[in-house]
Amino acid sequence: MTAFTCPTPDCTSTRKAGQYLCWDCWDALPATARRALSIRDDLATARLQVLHRQLAAGTSPAEIEIRL
Ligand SMILES: [Zn+2]
């Protein structure tokens, strides 16, 4: 099983292929963000980019907002 680095800057855990974040960071997301990111439609890639942008800007997983 290939493991990837979790995209959260302060996180040293790994995520699996098909996961956006490691389990700890995923669990830390607000339920609304988790629900939005779980939808697999034409906007899924855009939602992932919003997630990565917020994480890169220093937003903690608990404060991520996905409004797509
Ligand atoms: Zn993580």
Side-chain angles (χ1 to χ4, degrees), residues 22-36:
C22 74
W23 284 117
D24 286 345
C25 294
W26 182 255
D27 277 348
L29 291 179
T32 49
R34 274 205 303 270
R35 249 195 318 271

Side-chain angles (χ1 to χ4, degrees), residues 6 8 11 22 25:
C6 176
T8 304
C11 182
C22 74
C25 294

Side-chain angles (χ1 to χ4, degrees), residues 4-15 19-30 37 48 50-64:
F4 301 88
T5 308
C6 176
T8 304
D10 290 342
C11 182
T12 54
S13 300
T14 54
R15 63 179 178 86
Q19 291 179 328
Y20 289 155
L21 301 171
C22 74
W23 284 117
D24 286 345
C25 294
W26 182 255
D27 277 348
L29 291 179
L37 288 165
L48 182 58
V50 169
L51 171 67
H52 283 176
R53 251 200 312 271
Q54 292 186 29
L55 290 173
T59 308
S60 73
E63 289 168 354
I64 295 289

